[in-house]
Amino acid sequence: MSGFAAAVTRDVLAAPPRLGAVRLVAVDGPSGSGKSTLAAALVEAFAAAGASVALVSTDDFATWDDPFAWWPRLREGVLAPLARGRPGGYRRTEWTGGEPHPGSWVTIATPEVLIVEGVSAGRRSVCHLLSASLWVECPAGERLERAVARDGESSRPALVTWQNVETGWYAVDRTAERSTHRPPSG
């Protein structure tokens, strides 16, 4: 993964910024596919290259009841201010209940690279702002077991429903087809 992250880092830093002076990178793919792990490797690779980097997870916005329509909060709170060279911010939302986390305000200083990681991060409506779009996936059964291991056995029914919903999202948005990078399998 480190070789892949280093190659993506070189490509992104060579690309022009499209969100004001910020290079926006989306790490997208179905739940349980390894997006968070890849995003963490990218943060390390950008930092090692001397670039200032910030990471935002779509899990801080999405909920079981609102899997995709929360995007205006990210756009207005983070993307629009960063495009103007100003810090952005948002309140983290508790995934299962949809309530704000107490004391959960997150401020995003204007970085050279902003990584948005999570389901729908590379959606069609943001593709014109992306310096890179990464697509991460693995077989559905493996993804479900990873997600259950992460969230607990009691989450299995909700995760099955969620994975069906995200399959429909990706069929319509066609995110994978627009990706610029895919990590090697395995």
Side-chain angles (χ1 to χ4, degrees):
M1 185 72 72
S2 62
F4 176 75
V8 170
T9 298
R10 284 189 301 275
D11 290 352
V12 169
L13 293 177
R18 294 182 172 179
L19 181 68
V22 177
R23 289 168 178 85
L24 179 60
V25 176
V27 180
D28 204 331
S31 59
S33 60
K35 297 178 302 298
S36 298
T37 301
L38 176 56
L42 288 170
V43 167
E44 289 180 19
F46 282 112
S52 62
V53 60
L55 173 64
V56 172
S57 173
T58 65
D59 285 355
D60 288 346
F61 295 86
T63 67
W64 293 123
D65 296 329
D66 183 9
F68 307 109
W70 50 265
W71 189 262
R73 287 181 39 228
L74 176 64
R75 183 182 62 238
E76 294 159 15
V78 178
L79 302 181
L82 292 180
R84 294 188 305 270
R86 301 175 51 119
Y90 63 95
R91 184 167 313 283
R92 290 180 59 231
T93 302
E94 190 263 315
W95 177 266
T96 56
E99 298 296 320
H101 284 287
S104 63
W105 184 259
V106 177
T107 299
I108 306 293
T110 307
E112 292 174 70
V113 178
L114 174 65
I115 300 170
V116 177
E117 171 273 321
V119 173
S120 81
R123 61 180 59 204
R124 183 178 311 281
S125 66
V126 76
C127 66
H128 66 287
L129 299 173
L130 294 173
S131 294
S133 177
L134 286 70
W135 179 258
V136 185
E137 66 181 323
C138 66
E142 184 179 338
R143 291 188 301 101
L144 178 59
E145 294 312 313
R146 285 180 179 182
V148 167
R150 177 192 67 213
D151 297 342
E153 186 60 42
S154 63
S155 67
R156 184 180 294 273
L159 286 166
V160 168
T161 300
W162 172 262
Q163 289 189 350
N164 289 332
V165 168
E166 69 187 10
T167 297
W169 166 268
Y170 289 128
V172 171
D173 192 71
R174 304 175 77 95
T175 315
E177 295 173 19
R178 291 187 311 278
S179 69
T180 59
H181 298 78
R182 292 179 184 236
S185 299

